[in-house]
Amino acid sequence: MTVRNPFQRGISLRVREALYGYGFIMIWVVGFAIFTFLPLVQTFLYSLNRVTVTTTSINLDFVEWANYTRALFTDPNFIELLIGYTIETIVSVPIVLIFAMIIAMFLNLKFRFKDLFRVIFFLPIVITSGPVIRELTSQGVASVPGIADIPAVIEFLEELPRALRTPVEYLLTSFILILWFSGVQILIYLSSLQKIDRSIYEAAAIDGASRWEQFWKIILPSLTTATIVNAIYTIVTLSHFSENKVIRHIYDQTYDVQGGIGYASAMSFIYFGVMILLLGIVYFFLMRWARRSSS
Amino acid sequence: MRQQILHHPYVDRLRGYLFGNRVHRGLTFNIALYALLIAIGFVYLQPLLFMFVTSIKSPDDLLNPMVQWVPMQLFLGNYEKAFRVLDYPNTLVTSVVMSVGPALLQTVVASVVGYGLARYRFWGKPIVFLLLLATFIIPPQNTVIPQMLTYRDLGLLGDPLALILPALMGQGFRSAIFILIFYQSYLSLPKVLEESAQLDGASDLRIFLSIAVPSALPAYIVSFIFSTVWYWNETFLTVVFLEGGMTTLPMQLSKFTQAYENLYPPGVVNIFDRLNEAVKMSGTFLNILPLLLMYFILQRWFVESVEMTGITGE
């Protein structure tokens, strides 16, 4: 009878487990290198060059940071589009989060025809695509019917200072679209609401907490993780959406004689930087709020 | 006397019925709830209703300012035109193939990777999660150009493989989300069965295939449905990779005006056959129709299994 050294056996089990683990994720690691990492590096190289593509070859002409300075200081449209994107994102994120939270809390109640309403509120997940949205916006149905045309509203808009006017105008003209981007977020909120133990509500009710207090003391603190996930998801979807004006500009420049691949790549990286910055800011504020509400 | 009336059991009951008590929410609350839900639901669906109503308007109805929401007649001529302009049978098949195919591969690969992350301990796991998040965040235009140029050199531009290869390597459209869904659902499954199978001497691959996969069925369904829908609706990648070789429905919709004018040249056809918003809306509706059908058939599965998998990542 052979008794193996338990220490040695433990090590080999560990190594074996790790090897199997790597085996399962290997395909992803290779894919990441080929389809994400290398192209990302390559795009960065392109952004430092003037790139000319012929039918047989790709010629690089090193220009240092010229593409970046051009995007930031010479291009008449890019910076403006970038600012527009930032404002739209900052306006949209809280609306999406609050709307999704409210709808999720409604759908978490018990009432008749709940299934019907669930079907309605998840519908945009299925049909939101770039061309569909473009057709709908061009028909002017992206907004609550008629609100942007009411004379009082137009007058009110003219009174506002310019800095406030763009966000409010955006809000009025594309309110429904913003709501349409909340489908997945409603799902995420709903699934974390369902994880809250029913007995906590009962205990709170016995202690005399009103529904209002229950919301602030029980529901909201348990939705912090979902809120952070949702905020990141919202920013990323809005930024990747193919009808996004910055993306359209970059795409147009890719095939433009004046612009070209090098310039488009530089703009892509600036855009990516702004996006990371937005994610960072939102994450920072939400984390601070999460820490405060948990303590 | 007044006190007596106010605290009469019937009055108490009525008050409970109207404003709620410990057991019920009360009628007032319910009315407010339904009113709010119906109002929000209407606003939410308004673009769709508009799309559908406009698509069945005849040219007369379009010009008639009295006709807003109720057309005078059911006019299907717009659909006939949109059907031809979209080249519907061909683009529909292309769309189905180019969304179901990559979606299927993406789901299978995501389940394998998710299982590896959930069940095995190994060095570098936090790095993998960080990179997963990165693949989700990095905008497509930051990686798409070199891929396109490589595909061009390989002669794969316009070929289904251009979308299938990344999906096969776990780098498809939003793969990270699906990997996290599988990670989450394998984590929440009890390990007992797998451990007892291991004691019985089953190999890891066998355990994965015969125990883990069947018990994660909801995750498979959710991933497959979402993946199909997202591939169907994705236009940036499809335009860059498939343009020139294949045309999906959304791709054809995005050049609707141009395609329409090829079929019905503006100078030649009479005024009723010019491109109008009714035809455009018919085209848009035809574009989402397959998705709507799929959604209404699968919605029960879709909503319930999302709740089962507990999508929220920690």
Side-chain angles (χ1 to χ4, degrees):
Chain A
M1 208 170 117
T2 52
V3 179
R4 278 198 209 147
N5 180 350
F7 180 69
Q8 200 183 357
R9 194 180 135 91
I11 289 279
S12 75
L13 266 182
R14 263 270 162 96
V15 171
R16 184 190 164 280
E17 183 178 352
L19 284 179
Y20 269 96
Y22 289 131
F24 271 100
I25 66 161
M26 191 41 83
I27 195 165
W28 183 87
V29 174
V30 175
F32 177 80
I34 298 177
F35 290 103
T36 303
F37 183 70
L38 285 180
L40 190 69
V41 173
Q42 190 69 45
T43 310
F44 183 66
L45 281 181
Y46 286 160
S47 75
L48 300 176
N49 287 280
R50 184 181 298 117
V51 184
T52 36
V53 178
T54 63
T55 44
T56 50
S57 65
I58 302 155
N59 299 319
L60 298 183
D61 183 12
F62 191 64
V63 291
E64 275 184 35
W65 301 96
N67 287 323
Y68 288 86
T69 51
R70 180 178 158 199
L72 289 174
F73 304 117
T74 340
D75 192 318
N77 301 319
F78 183 62
I79 287 297
E80 198 146 314
L81 290 174
L82 214 52
I83 293 172
Y85 153 78
T86 314
I87 290 174
E88 291 183 7
T89 311
I90 290 176
V91 171
S92 306
V93 170
I95 293 175
V96 168
L97 291 183
I98 292 168
F99 178 76
M101 200 184 277
I102 291 172
I103 295 297
M105 286 194 300
F106 279 157
L107 293 181
N108 197 35
L109 298 173
K110 282 201 181 74
F111 58 91
R112 226 179 289 174
F113 307 118
K114 182 162 123 175
D115 290 353
L116 176 75
F117 285 108
R118 271 204 302 213
V119 169
I120 293 176
F121 288 116
F122 297 147
L123 191 59
I125 301 180
V126 184
I127 54 177
T128 312
S129 76
V132 170
I133 296 291
R134 195 192 312 161
E135 292 298 336
L136 288 177
T137 355
S138 72
Q139 301 294 328
V141 281
S143 162
V144 183
I147 275 197
D149 306 324
I150 300 169
V153 173
I154 296 174
E155 245 169 71
F156 170 73
L157 276 177
E158 276 164 4
E159 295 287 311
L160 285 174
R162 216 184 109 67
L164 260 175
R165 200 161 129 195
T166 354
V168 176
E169 232 167 6
Y170 167 70
L171 194 61
L172 287 178
T173 50
S174 27
F175 188 66
I176 297 182
L177 280 194
I178 303 178
L179 299 191
W180 271 28
F181 276 98
S182 329
V184 172
Q185 291 84 332
I186 297 175
L187 276 181
I188 293 176
Y189 273 137
L190 193 57
S191 73
S192 29
L193 280 174
Q194 281 167 350
K195 279 184 204 153
I196 303 176
D197 198 341
R198 294 256 159 220
S199 59
I200 298 180
Y201 296 118
E202 281 157 27
I206 289 168
D207 286 347
S210 65
R211 280 182 192 280
W212 182 247
E213 283 168 318
Q214 283 181 26
F215 171 74
W216 292 102
K217 300 268 161 63
I218 301 171
I219 300 179
L220 204 57
S222 52
L223 289 181
T224 46
T225 317
T227 304
I228 291 169
V229 171
N230 275 342
I232 294 174
Y233 182 85
T234 312
I235 295 176
V236 170
T237 355
L238 288 175
S239 314
H240 289 190
F241 189 50
S242 64
E243 286 303 294
N244 184 317
K245 292 188 194 83
V246 187
I247 290 188
R248 296 195 64 78
H249 182 67
I250 293 175
Y251 183 75
D252 291 341
Q253 291 291 317
T254 313
Y255 296 101
D256 196 88
V257 187
Q258 292 289 309
I261 288 173
Y263 184 46
S265 305
M267 286 194 292
S268 303
F269 270 96
I270 297 174
Y271 180 58
F272 187 25
V274 173
M275 194 185 142
I276 293 282
L277 207 67
L278 278 173
L279 279 171
I281 293 171
V282 171
Y283 185 75
F284 173 78
F285 277 111
L286 285 179
M287 271 317 243
R288 224 174 56 165
W289 164 70
R291 227 173 287 141
R292 219 178 25 201
S293 71
S294 68
S295 64
Chain B
M1 184 66 197
R2 201 160 155 257
Q3 282 294 314
Q4 243 175 354
I5 293 177
L6 275 180
H7 288 281
H8 192 275
Y10 284 117
V11 177
D12 263 349
R13 256 225 199 124
L14 184 69
R15 189 190 294 133
Y17 182 66
L18 283 176
F19 302 110
N21 51 31
R22 249 166 250 186
V23 193
H24 301 289
R25 279 195 302 263
L27 191 65
T28 342
F29 182 86
N30 272 337
I31 290 176
L33 176 72
Y34 281 113
L36 212 58
L37 280 174
I38 290 170
I40 299 173
F42 177 73
V43 167
Y44 219 55
L45 288 186
Q46 194 251 339
L48 273 185
L49 291 175
F50 175 88
M51 184 198 297
F52 181 68
V53 169
T54 311
S55 74
I56 56 169
K57 279 184 182 174
S58 65
D60 289 338
D61 282 349
L62 276 179
L63 293 173
N64 187 348
M66 302 291 287
V67 178
Q68 279 285 339
W69 285 99
V70 188
M72 307 288 273
Q73 48 161 322
L74 183 72
F75 179 73
L76 294 174
N78 305 316
Y79 280 98
E80 260 167 57
K81 282 182 200 149
F83 193 86
R84 284 187 59 194
V85 173
L86 285 176
D87 189 13
Y88 203 59
N90 282 328
T91 47
L92 182 68
V93 170
T94 311
S95 258
V96 170
V97 171
M98 288 323 292
S99 47
V100 170
L104 210 59
L105 289 170
Q106 163 151 291
T107 304
V108 171
V109 172
S111 77
V112 173
V113 177
Y115 184 77
L117 288 171
R119 280 293 189 258
Y120 296 93
R121 276 170 304 175
F122 51 83
W123 181 88
K125 213 190 263 185
I127 301 174
V128 173
F129 278 110
L130 201 69
L131 295 181
L132 262 180
L133 189 65
T135 60
F136 177 59
I137 291 175
I138 295 170
Q141 66 271 17
N142 282 52
T143 54
V144 108
I145 298 169
Q147 288 182 67
M148 183 194 73
L149 291 173
T150 317
Y151 282 145
R152 196 190 63 147
D153 289 345
L154 297 172
L156 286 179
L157 221 50
D159 194 281
L161 276 180
L163 279 186
I164 285 176
L165 283 178
L168 194 62
M169 308 289 268
Q171 305 293 317
F173 189 56
R174 292 185 172 172
S175 272
I177 291 184
F178 302 112
I179 293 175
L180 288 179
I181 288 178
F182 279 107
Y183 170 73
Q184 199 66 29
S185 64
Y186 284 127
L187 266 195
S188 61
L189 287 177
K191 251 181 161 176
V192 190
L193 267 179
E194 286 156 71
E195 277 165 355
S196 64
Q198 202 165 25
L199 287 178
D200 288 346
S203 72
D204 290 50
L205 198 64
R206 214 187 127 77
I207 293 175
F208 171 67
L209 289 176
S210 57
I211 296 175
V213 170
S215 48
L217 198 64
Y220 278 89
I221 293 172
V222 173
S223 296
F224 179 62
I225 294 177
F226 270 88
S227 197
T228 309
V229 167
W230 280 339
Y231 263 108
W232 183 291
N233 285 332
E234 165 61 32
T235 44
F236 185 79
L237 292 176
T238 45
V239 165
V240 172
F241 288 153
L242 299 182
E243 186 76 75
M246 313 177 82
T247 311
T248 64
L249 255 182
M251 276 162 81
Q252 186 70 8
L253 181 65
S254 60
K255 22 179 208 198
F256 194 81
T257 309
Q258 198 192 335
Y260 188 91
E261 282 168 2
N262 282 341
L263 270 180
Y264 304 92
V268 181
V269 295
N270 71 54
I271 190 155
F272 291 115
D273 284 337
R274 299 254 174 88
L275 182 56
N276 55 36
E277 64 260 39
V279 180
K280 277 190 181 172
M281 287 295 107
S282 306
T284 315
F285 193 75
L286 281 177
N287 185 67
I288 61 169
L289 186 65
L291 293 175
L292 285 180
L293 288 178
M294 183 191 107
Y295 179 64
F296 286 123
I297 294 168
L298 296 178
Q299 54 91 11
R300 181 150 284 273
W301 250 115
F302 169 86
V303 173
E304 279 172 10
S305 53
V306 163
E307 287 161 10
M308 273 190 265
T309 44
I311 259 180
T312 347
E314 244 50 65

